[in-house]
Amino acid sequence: MNHARQPDTWSWLWQSTGRPSSVTAPNNGAMPPTASVSPGPPGLDTAVLENVRDDSHFRSAEQPAWFAIWRVLLQASDADLADVSQGPISYLQLARQTANYRGHVVELQGVVQRANRVEAPKNDLGINHYWQCWLFPISGPREPIVVYVLEAPASWTSAATLSVPVELEGIVYK
């Protein structure tokens, strides 16, 4: 399927119809495997991100990357993040191409349906806790994206079942 998605695979067809060879095949919201994203936020040491493993629990070897991202988010302004944002991305892009987006700012829209307050591991940033939120994207499959935020509305309890529409910008971790 990856080979069939490549425009050059179909160039013989486009030549006979006069269609330009620069037309790309539909990719259902996924980035072509050879595409790259623009640089991530300033101040993020991308070398620490190499220890992050997808589809696994949080490992102690990943804590430097975790807190490097929090440090950037604490220091960056909304405008700083917007300047380097990849813009809106889909569930499919996050699920299948996490490594391509790791350490980059992206935008998500959806409905937070659950939030849990989590005690933070010891750190030098002064972060005592954060919120684990289950975001169901506006479009795509009915699968949640887990996002973490430092602040939540005062009405949220330590474990809340919700239905809150949100638009957010954040840095992809895993």
Side-chain angles (χ1 to χ4, degrees):
M1 292 304 288
N2 281 336
H3 184 68
R5 179 175 35 208
Q6 302 303 316
D8 292 340
T9 303
W10 301 98
S11 61
W12 60 271
L13 177 63
W14 304 138
Q15 288 173 0
S16 64
T17 62
R19 192 167 178 178
S21 63
S22 63
V23 173
T24 58
N27 63 11
N28 298 323
M31 280 179 49
T34 57
S36 63
V37 293
S38 64
L44 181 59
D45 176 10
T46 56
V48 298
L49 299 176
E50 293 173 10
N51 290 324
V52 177
R53 299 290 173 259
D54 294 326
D55 303 318
S56 70
H57 62 282
F58 283 93
R59 301 174 307 122
S60 59
E62 297 172 334
Q63 278 192 10
W66 179 249
F67 285 108
I69 289 172
W70 283 120
R71 183 180 311 281
V72 168
L73 290 170
L74 287 168
Q75 294 173 350
S77 69
D78 290 345
D80 292 337
L81 295 177
D83 286 345
V84 295
S85 176
Q86 304 300 310
I89 65 170
S90 69
Y91 174 88
L92 183 62
Q93 287 170 295
L94 278 179
R96 298 227 174 124
Q97 298 175 330
T98 309
N100 288 351
Y101 288 99
R102 188 177 342 278
H104 296 277
V105 178
V106 299
E107 296 174 23
L108 296 172
Q109 289 183 330
V111 177
V112 172
Q113 293 191 349
R114 179 141 185 94
N116 298 311
R117 186 173 188 250
V118 178
E119 296 303 314
K122 186 175 178 169
N123 62 84
D124 63 349
L125 299 176
I127 298 172
N128 298 320
H129 68 274
Y130 42 82
W131 289 84
Q132 178 188 57
C133 302
W134 295 75
L135 173 77
F136 287 82
I138 295 288
S139 61
R142 184 85 179 120
E143 297 291 330
I145 298 170
V146 178
V147 297
Y148 292 87
V149 298
L150 287 177
E151 298 175 18
S155 62
W156 292 13
T157 61
S158 62
T161 301
L162 311 159
S163 183
V164 179
V166 298
E167 291 182 22
L168 60 88
E169 239 170 10
I171 300 175
V172 176
Y173 178 64
K174 67 190 290 178

